[in-house]
Each structure stands twice: as C-alpha cells, then as structure tokens.
Amino acid sequence: MKIPQSIRSIYQDLEYSYSKLKKLIDDEFKNTLPQEWHYISRLKKDESFTLKVESGRYKTIDAFDDLRMYMKWKDKIGSRPTGLDGLLFEVQIKTFLQHAWAIATHDLIYKSDEKNWAKERIAYQVKAMLEHAEVSINEADQLSKSSSIKKSNPETKKIKQIIKVLKEMWPAAALPQNLKLLAINLKAILKELNLTSQDLRAILKKETEENLGVKALNLSPFGIVIQALFNQQRDKMCMLLSSEHNRISVFIHQEVNIPSELDLSKFNNNVSYT
C-alpha cells in the first residue's frame, strides 16, 4: 500500500522513539510480571498506522485516543535520561481466552480485502461463547449451587467422603494441594478391598493408636494408608495383590514396612514398587 510521505515521516519519527521505549518496557514488565502470565509487545506497522489515521477518528496522529490504558514512561530518579520521559503508550490486559480469540480471529476481522458480515458474525459469536465460558469459570462456586446443576453420583460422594476423612486425620499442611487426586487413588484401592471411607477412618485411627499411623514422618499420606492396610487388613491386601483379576496396580514406597511373611516378588503383576 502506498503511504504518503507526510505520514511516513511522522511514523518514522515516532518509530525511533517507540522502538527504544518498547525495549525499556519489555525489560520492565518481564522482570515484574508473574512467570505464568503471558506478555507480548508490538509496534504498529506503518500500514496499520496509516489506516488508523485515515479513519478520521483521531484528533492528532502522534497519539491515538482509543487506548485501553494510558501510561507514560517516567525515567527513574538518578538514572541516565532516556529522552523518552513522558512518552505515551498503550497497555492492554486480557484474559487467556480473550487473547486466544484475538489471535484466532484477528486476520478474519481486521486484515481482509473484503467486508464479510457472515465471517465477522461468526467471530463475534465465538467471542460471546468465550465470554460466557469465562463468566461460568469465575462464578463456578455460585453456579454449582444451582438446583439445575447441583447433582452428584455415587463415585463423587465416595471421593468427597474420603477427602473428609483425610482432612479429619491430617493437618492441612501435611496433605497435598491436589487432595482430590489422592482421594481418587485411595478410592480405587478401597473399592478393590471392599472397604468404605468409614472403614478407612477406623483403620487410620487404630493404626495411629498402635503404631505411628498419621504421625509417621517418612511417608506420604498415601504411603501411610498403604502401611495401615498392610497392618490392619493383611489378609485382604494379600488377596488383592495375588488376585489374577486385579484391575489396579498398587504403588508401594520403599519406606513401607512390609510384613516379613509376604513375598512381593509373587505380586509383580499387581505391585508398583520403588
């Protein structure tokens, strides 16, 4: 596209300053933003700059007035002057879903040689769905209490019951953040042993009274449960590990004290041992 010299000159003057500013801002943001945040920066191309100017929506062409957020660069006290003090720039803060939508539909909406209402309609319908998804995620706690959604099933109830037992038996600091996964792992073993969450509570209490139980410092909560099952439900554990129809593999830490009469080599198909 042909760019008039008058606009090109202004763009080139601005480009020099803003290229320097971009590097300073990049260093500033990358050193302060949390690692999990996604950060990108860009300078407008001369063609995009020209099209914005030609829209007639801007009173001046050295600073657009539709910025998401206005910020000005300010030199740090005592540092060498950059020559950019007071230079205006734009900051946009988007969620990951908003960013994904912008990338996926940018060329469809903005960089086209034709006006296609149907394509734009699709793009904005997708945006509306993503916004709905974000609202649902942000309000998940409240939405989950809705009578039309608040439903459960037997497996979910079992997991919740196991989580309750774990919270009763251990302080929060001793439990993993992903407590649900621990409960799922234990549920699979309890199911094979035909034991309930109430049985688990009783087993752990007895193990804690007779041995270290939940007070053991060299085992994870999962390992402590396995140790308790060996001590309190030995016959069932033997049947589980020796069964030819066993549907799970039981992980056993080296720190677990295996009863001397048990030979784990006979249970290789059912034991994951480290």
Coordinates of all heavy atoms in Angstrom, one line a residue, residues 74-137:
K74 N 8.3 7.1 32.6 CA 9.0 8.1 33.5 C 10.4 7.5 33.9 O 10.5 6.4 34.4 CB 8.1 8.2 34.8 CG 8.6 9.3 35.8 CD 7.7 9.5 36.9 CE 8.2 10.6 37.9 NZ 8.3 11.9 37.2
D75 N 11.4 8.3 33.6 CA 12.7 7.9 33.9 C 12.9 7.8 35.4 O 12.3 8.6 36.2 CB 13.7 9.0 33.4 CG 13.9 9.0 31.9 OD1 13.5 7.9 31.3 OD2 14.3 10.0 31.3
K76 N 13.7 6.8 35.8 CA 13.9 6.6 37.3 C 14.9 7.7 37.8 O 15.8 8.1 37.1 CB 14.5 5.2 37.5 CG 13.6 4.1 37.1 CD 14.3 2.7 37.3 CE 13.3 1.6 36.9 NZ 13.9 0.3 37.1
I77 N 14.5 8.1 39.0 CA 15.4 9.2 39.6 C 16.8 8.7 39.8 O 17.1 7.6 40.3 CB 14.8 9.5 41.0 CG1 13.3 10.1 40.8 CG2 15.7 10.6 41.7 CD1 12.7 10.4 42.2
G78 N 17.7 9.5 39.3 CA 19.1 9.2 39.5 C 19.7 8.4 38.3 O 20.9 8.2 38.2
S79 N 18.8 7.9 37.4 CA 19.3 7.2 36.2 C 19.6 8.1 35.1 O 19.1 9.3 35.0 CB 18.2 6.1 35.8 OG 17.0 6.8 35.4
R80 N 20.3 7.6 34.1 CA 20.6 8.4 32.9 C 19.4 8.7 32.1 O 18.5 7.8 31.9 CB 21.6 7.6 32.0 CG 22.0 8.4 30.8 CD 23.0 7.6 30.0 NE 24.2 7.3 30.7 CZ 25.2 6.5 30.2 NH1 25.1 6.0 29.0 NH2 26.3 6.3 31.0
P81 N 19.1 9.9 31.7 CA 18.0 10.3 30.9 C 17.9 9.5 29.6 O 18.8 9.2 29.0 CB 18.2 11.8 30.6 CG 19.1 12.2 31.7 CD 20.0 11.1 32.0
T82 N 16.7 9.0 29.3 CA 16.4 8.2 28.1 C 16.0 9.0 27.0 O 16.1 8.6 25.8 CB 15.4 7.1 28.4 OG1 14.1 7.8 28.7 CG2 15.8 6.2 29.6
G83 N 15.5 10.2 27.3 CA 14.9 11.0 26.2 C 13.5 10.6 25.9 O 12.9 11.1 24.9
L84 N 13.0 9.7 26.6 CA 11.6 9.2 26.4 C 10.7 9.6 27.5 O 9.5 9.2 27.5 CB 11.7 7.7 26.3 CG 12.6 7.1 25.3 CD1 12.6 5.6 25.4 CD2 12.2 7.5 23.8
D85 N 11.1 10.4 28.4 CA 10.3 10.8 29.6 C 9.0 11.4 29.1 O 9.0 12.4 28.3 CB 11.0 11.7 30.5 CG 10.5 11.7 31.9 OD1 10.5 10.7 32.5 OD2 10.1 12.8 32.4
G86 N 7.8 10.9 29.6 CA 6.5 11.4 29.2 C 5.9 10.8 28.0 O 4.8 11.1 27.6
L87 N 6.6 9.9 27.3 CA 6.1 9.3 26.1 C 5.0 8.3 26.4 O 5.1 7.5 27.3 CB 7.2 8.5 25.4 CG 7.1 8.2 23.9 CD1 6.9 9.5 23.1 CD2 8.2 7.4 23.4
L88 N 3.9 8.5 25.7 CA 2.6 7.8 25.9 C 2.7 6.4 25.2 O 3.1 6.3 24.1 CB 1.5 8.6 25.4 CG 0.1 8.3 25.9 CD1 -0.1 8.6 27.3 CD2 -1.0 9.0 25.0
F89 N 2.1 5.4 25.9 CA 2.0 4.1 25.3 C 0.7 3.4 25.8 O 0.1 3.8 26.8 CB 3.2 3.2 25.5 CG 3.5 2.9 26.9 CD1 3.1 1.7 27.5 CD2 4.3 3.8 27.7 CE1 3.4 1.4 28.8 CE2 4.6 3.5 29.0 CZ 4.2 2.3 29.6
E90 N 0.3 2.4 25.1 CA -0.9 1.7 25.5 C -0.6 0.3 26.1 O 0.3 -0.4 25.7 CB -1.7 1.4 24.2 CG -3.0 0.6 24.4 CD -3.7 0.3 23.1 OE1 -3.2 0.6 22.1 OE2 -4.8 -0.4 23.2
V91 N -1.4 0.0 27.1 CA -1.3 -1.3 27.7 C -2.7 -2.0 27.7 O -3.7 -1.3 28.1 CB -0.9 -1.2 29.2 CG1 -1.0 -2.6 29.9 CG2 0.5 -0.7 29.3
Q92 N -2.8 -3.2 27.2 CA -4.0 -3.9 27.2 C -3.8 -5.2 28.1 O -2.8 -5.9 28.0 CB -4.3 -4.4 25.8 CG -4.7 -3.3 24.8 CD -5.1 -3.8 23.4 OE1 -5.4 -5.0 23.3 NE2 -5.0 -2.9 22.4
I93 N -4.8 -5.4 28.9 CA -4.7 -6.5 29.8 C -5.9 -7.5 29.4 O -7.1 -7.0 29.5 CB -4.9 -6.2 31.3 CG1 -3.7 -5.2 31.7 CG2 -4.9 -7.4 32.2 CD1 -3.8 -4.7 33.1
K94 N -5.6 -8.7 29.0 CA -6.6 -9.6 28.5 C -6.5 -10.9 29.3 O -5.4 -11.3 29.8 CB -6.4 -9.9 27.0 CG -6.5 -8.6 26.1 CD -6.3 -9.0 24.7 CE -6.4 -7.8 23.8 NZ -6.3 -8.2 22.3
T95 N -7.6 -11.6 29.4 CA -7.6 -13.0 29.9 C -7.0 -13.9 28.8 O -6.9 -13.5 27.6 CB -9.0 -13.5 30.2 OG1 -9.8 -13.6 29.0 CG2 -9.6 -12.5 31.2
F96 N -6.6 -15.1 29.1 CA -6.1 -16.0 28.1 C -7.1 -16.3 27.0 O -6.8 -16.5 25.9 CB -5.6 -17.3 28.8 CG -4.2 -17.2 29.3 CD1 -4.0 -17.1 30.7 CD2 -3.1 -17.2 28.5 CE1 -2.7 -17.0 31.2 CE2 -1.8 -17.1 29.0 CZ -1.6 -17.0 30.4
L97 N -8.4 -16.4 27.4 CA -9.4 -16.7 26.4 C -9.6 -15.5 25.5 O -9.8 -15.7 24.3 CB -10.8 -17.0 27.1 CG -10.8 -18.4 27.9 CD1 -12.2 -18.6 28.5 CD2 -10.6 -19.5 26.9
Q98 N -9.6 -14.3 26.0 CA -9.6 -13.1 25.2 C -8.5 -13.1 24.2 O -8.6 -12.7 23.0 CB -9.7 -11.8 26.0 CG -11.0 -11.7 26.8 CD -10.9 -10.5 27.8 OE1 -9.8 -10.1 28.3 NE2 -12.0 -9.9 28.1
H99 N -7.3 -13.4 24.7 CA -6.1 -13.4 23.9 C -6.2 -14.4 22.8 O -5.8 -14.2 21.6 CB -4.9 -13.6 24.7 CG -3.6 -13.6 24.0 ND1 -3.1 -12.5 23.3 CD2 -2.6 -14.6 23.8 CE1 -2.0 -12.8 22.7 NE2 -1.7 -14.0 23.0
A100 N -6.7 -15.6 23.1 CA -6.8 -16.7 22.2 C -7.8 -16.3 21.1 O -7.6 -16.5 19.9 CB -7.3 -17.9 22.8
W101 N -8.9 -15.6 21.5 CA -9.9 -15.2 20.5 C -9.3 -14.1 19.5 O -9.5 -14.2 18.3 CB -11.1 -14.6 21.2 CG -12.1 -14.0 20.2 CD1 -13.1 -14.7 19.5 CD2 -12.2 -12.6 19.8 NE1 -13.8 -13.8 18.7 CE2 -13.2 -12.6 18.8 CE3 -11.5 -11.5 20.1 CZ2 -13.6 -11.4 18.2 CZ3 -11.9 -10.3 19.5 CH2 -12.9 -10.2 18.6
A102 N -8.5 -13.2 20.1 CA -7.9 -12.1 19.3 C -7.0 -12.7 18.2 O -6.9 -12.3 17.1 CB -7.2 -11.2 20.2
I103 N -6.2 -13.7 18.7 CA -5.2 -14.3 17.7 C -6.0 -15.1 16.6 O -5.6 -15.0 15.5 CB -4.2 -15.3 18.5 CG1 -3.3 -14.4 19.4 CG2 -3.4 -16.1 17.5 CD1 -2.4 -15.3 20.2
A104 N -7.0 -15.8 17.1 CA -7.7 -16.7 16.1 C -8.5 -15.9 15.1 O -8.7 -16.4 14.0 CB -8.6 -17.7 16.9
T105 N -9.0 -14.7 15.5 CA -9.9 -14.0 14.6 C -9.3 -12.7 14.1 O -10.0 -12.0 13.3 CB -11.2 -13.7 15.3 OG1 -10.9 -12.9 16.5 CG2 -11.9 -15.0 15.8
H106 N -8.1 -12.3 14.4 CA -7.6 -11.0 14.0 C -7.6 -10.8 12.5 O -8.1 -9.8 12.0 CB -6.2 -10.9 14.6 CG -5.6 -9.5 14.3 ND1 -4.8 -9.2 13.2 CD2 -5.6 -8.3 15.0 CE1 -4.5 -8.0 13.2 NE2 -4.9 -7.4 14.3
D107 N -7.0 -11.8 11.8 CA -7.0 -11.7 10.4 C -8.3 -11.7 9.7 O -8.6 -11.1 8.7 CB -6.1 -12.8 9.8 CG -4.6 -12.6 10.1 OD1 -4.3 -11.5 10.7 OD2 -3.8 -13.4 9.8
L108 N -9.2 -12.5 10.4 CA -10.6 -12.6 9.8 C -11.3 -11.3 9.9 O -12.1 -11.0 9.0 CB -11.3 -13.7 10.7 CG -12.7 -14.2 10.2 CD1 -12.6 -14.9 8.9 CD2 -13.4 -15.0 11.2
I109 N -11.1 -10.5 11.0 CA -11.9 -9.3 11.1 C -11.1 -8.1 10.6 O -11.7 -7.3 9.9 CB -12.1 -9.1 12.7 CG1 -13.0 -10.2 13.2 CG2 -12.8 -7.7 12.9 CD1 -13.2 -10.1 14.7
Y110 N -9.8 -8.0 10.8 CA -9.1 -6.8 10.5 C -8.3 -6.8 9.2 O -8.2 -5.8 8.6 CB -8.2 -6.4 11.7 CG -8.9 -6.1 13.0 CD1 -8.9 -7.0 14.0 CD2 -9.7 -5.0 13.1 CE1 -9.6 -6.8 15.2 CE2 -10.4 -4.7 14.3 CZ -10.3 -5.6 15.3 OH -11.0 -5.4 16.5
K111 N -7.8 -7.9 8.9 CA -6.9 -8.0 7.7 C -7.6 -8.7 6.6 O -7.3 -9.9 6.4 CB -5.6 -8.6 8.1 CG -4.8 -7.8 9.1 CD -3.4 -8.2 9.3 CE -2.6 -7.3 10.2 NZ -1.2 -7.7 10.4
S112 N -8.5 -8.1 5.9 CA -9.2 -8.7 4.9 C -9.4 -7.7 3.7 O -9.4 -6.5 3.9 CB -10.6 -9.1 5.4 OG -11.4 -9.6 4.4
D113 N -9.5 -8.2 2.5 CA -9.7 -7.4 1.4 C -11.2 -7.3 1.0 O -11.5 -6.7 -0.1 CB -8.9 -7.9 0.2 CG -9.3 -9.3 -0.2 OD1 -10.2 -9.9 0.5 OD2 -8.7 -9.9 -1.2
E114 N -12.0 -7.7 1.9 CA -13.5 -7.6 1.7 C -14.2 -7.5 3.0 O -13.7 -7.9 4.0 CB -14.0 -8.8 0.9 CG -13.9 -10.1 1.6 CD -14.5 -11.3 0.8 OE1 -14.9 -11.1 -0.3 OE2 -14.6 -12.4 1.4
K115 N -15.4 -7.0 3.0 CA -16.3 -6.9 4.2 C -17.2 -8.1 4.1 O -18.0 -8.2 3.2 CB -17.1 -5.6 4.2 CG -18.0 -5.4 5.3 CD -17.3 -5.1 6.6 CE -18.3 -4.8 7.7 NZ -17.6 -4.5 9.0
N116 N -17.0 -9.0 5.1 CA -17.8 -10.2 5.1 C -18.6 -10.3 6.4 O -18.0 -10.7 7.4 CB -16.9 -11.5 4.9 CG -17.7 -12.7 4.7 OD1 -18.6 -13.0 5.4 ND2 -17.3 -13.5 3.6
W117 N -19.8 -9.9 6.3 CA -20.6 -9.9 7.6 C -20.8 -11.2 8.2 O -20.7 -11.3 9.4 CB -22.0 -9.3 7.2 CG -23.0 -9.2 8.4 CD1 -23.0 -8.2 9.3 CD2 -24.0 -10.2 8.7 NE1 -24.0 -8.5 10.2 CE2 -24.6 -9.7 9.9 CE3 -24.4 -11.4 8.2 CZ2 -25.6 -10.4 10.5 CZ3 -25.4 -12.1 8.8 CH2 -26.0 -11.6 9.9
A118 N -20.9 -12.3 7.4 CA -21.1 -13.6 8.0 C -19.9 -14.0 8.7 O -20.0 -14.6 9.8 CB -21.4 -14.6 6.8
K119 N -18.7 -13.8 8.2 CA -17.5 -14.2 8.9 C -17.3 -13.4 10.2 O -16.9 -14.0 11.2 CB -16.2 -14.0 8.0 CG -16.1 -15.0 6.9 CD -14.8 -14.7 6.1 CE -14.7 -15.7 5.0 NZ -13.4 -15.5 4.2
E120 N -17.6 -12.1 10.2 CA -17.5 -11.3 11.4 C -18.5 -11.7 12.4 O -18.2 -11.8 13.6 CB -17.7 -9.8 11.0 CG -16.5 -9.2 10.2 CD -16.7 -7.8 9.9 OE1 -17.6 -7.2 10.5 OE2 -16.0 -7.2 9.1
R121 N -19.7 -12.1 12.0 CA -20.7 -12.6 12.9 C -20.2 -13.8 13.6 O -20.4 -14.0 14.8 CB -22.0 -12.8 12.1 CG -23.2 -13.3 13.0 CD -24.4 -13.2 12.2 NE -25.6 -13.7 13.0 CZ -26.3 -14.8 12.8 NH1 -26.0 -15.6 11.8 NH2 -27.3 -15.1 13.6
I122 N -19.6 -14.7 12.8 CA -19.1 -16.0 13.4 C -18.0 -15.6 14.5 O -18.0 -16.2 15.6 CB -18.5 -16.9 12.3 CG1 -19.7 -17.4 11.5 CG2 -17.7 -18.1 13.0 CD1 -19.2 -18.2 10.2
A123 N -17.1 -14.7 14.1 CA -16.1 -14.4 15.0 C -16.6 -13.8 16.3 O -16.1 -14.2 17.4 CB -15.1 -13.3 14.4
Y124 N -17.6 -13.0 16.3 CA -18.1 -12.4 17.5 C -19.1 -13.3 18.2 O -19.2 -13.2 19.5 CB -18.9 -11.0 17.1 CG -17.9 -9.9 16.9 CD1 -17.6 -9.5 15.6 CD2 -17.2 -9.3 17.9 CE1 -16.7 -8.5 15.3 CE2 -16.2 -8.3 17.7 CZ -16.0 -7.9 16.4 OH -15.1 -6.9 16.2
Q125 N -19.6 -14.3 17.5 CA -20.4 -15.3 18.3 C -19.4 -16.2 19.1 O -19.7 -16.5 20.2 CB -21.1 -16.2 17.3 CG -22.4 -15.5 16.7 CD -23.1 -16.4 15.7 OE1 -22.5 -17.3 15.1 NE2 -24.4 -16.2 15.5
V126 N -18.3 -16.5 18.5 CA -17.2 -17.2 19.2 C -16.8 -16.4 20.4 O -16.6 -17.0 21.5 CB -16.0 -17.6 18.3 CG1 -14.9 -18.2 19.1 CG2 -16.5 -18.5 17.2
K127 N -16.6 -15.1 20.3 CA -16.2 -14.3 21.4 C -17.2 -14.3 22.5 O -16.9 -14.4 23.7 CB -16.0 -12.8 20.9 CG -15.5 -11.9 22.0 CD -15.3 -10.5 21.5 CE -14.7 -9.6 22.6 NZ -14.5 -8.2 22.2
A128 N -18.5 -14.3 22.1 CA -19.6 -14.3 23.1 C -19.6 -15.6 23.9 O -19.8 -15.6 25.1 CB -20.9 -14.1 22.4
M129 N -19.3 -16.7 23.2 CA -19.2 -18.0 23.8 C -18.1 -18.1 24.8 O -18.2 -18.6 25.9 CB -19.1 -19.1 22.8 CG -20.4 -19.4 22.0 SD -20.4 -20.8 21.0 CE -19.3 -20.3 19.7
L130 N -16.9 -17.5 24.4 CA -15.8 -17.5 25.3 C -16.0 -16.6 26.5 O -15.6 -17.0 27.6 CB -14.5 -17.0 24.6 CG -14.0 -17.9 23.5 CD1 -12.8 -17.2 22.8 CD2 -13.5 -19.2 24.1
E131 N -16.7 -15.5 26.3 CA -17.0 -14.6 27.5 C -18.0 -15.4 28.4 O -17.9 -15.2 29.6 CB -17.7 -13.3 27.0 CG -16.7 -12.4 26.3 CD -17.3 -11.2 25.7 OE1 -18.6 -11.2 25.6 OE2 -16.6 -10.2 25.4
H132 N -18.9 -16.1 27.8 CA -19.8 -16.9 28.7 C -19.0 -18.0 29.5 O -19.3 -18.2 30.6 CB -20.9 -17.6 27.8 CG -21.8 -18.5 28.6 ND1 -22.8 -18.0 29.4 CD2 -21.9 -19.8 28.6 CE1 -23.5 -19.0 30.0 NE2 -22.9 -20.1 29.5
A133 N -18.1 -18.6 28.8 CA -17.2 -19.6 29.5 C -16.5 -18.9 30.6 O -16.3 -19.5 31.7 CB -16.2 -20.2 28.5
E134 N -15.9 -17.7 30.4 CA -15.2 -17.0 31.5 C -16.1 -16.7 32.7 O -15.7 -16.8 33.8 CB -14.5 -15.8 30.9 CG -13.4 -16.0 30.0 CD -12.6 -14.8 29.7 OE1 -13.2 -13.7 29.6 OE2 -11.4 -14.8 29.6
V135 N -17.3 -16.3 32.4 CA -18.3 -16.0 33.5 C -18.5 -17.2 34.2 O -18.6 -17.2 35.5 CB -19.6 -15.4 32.9 CG1 -20.6 -15.3 34.0 CG2 -19.3 -14.0 32.3
S136 N -18.7 -18.3 33.5 CA -19.0 -19.6 34.2 C -17.9 -20.0 35.1 O -18.1 -20.5 36.2 CB -19.3 -20.7 33.1 OG -20.5 -20.4 32.4
I137 N -16.7 -19.9 34.6 CA -15.5 -20.2 35.4 C -15.4 -19.4 36.6 O -15.1 -19.9 37.7 CB -14.2 -20.1 34.5 CG1 -14.2 -21.2 33.4 CG2 -13.0 -20.3 35.4 CD1 -13.1 -21.0 32.4

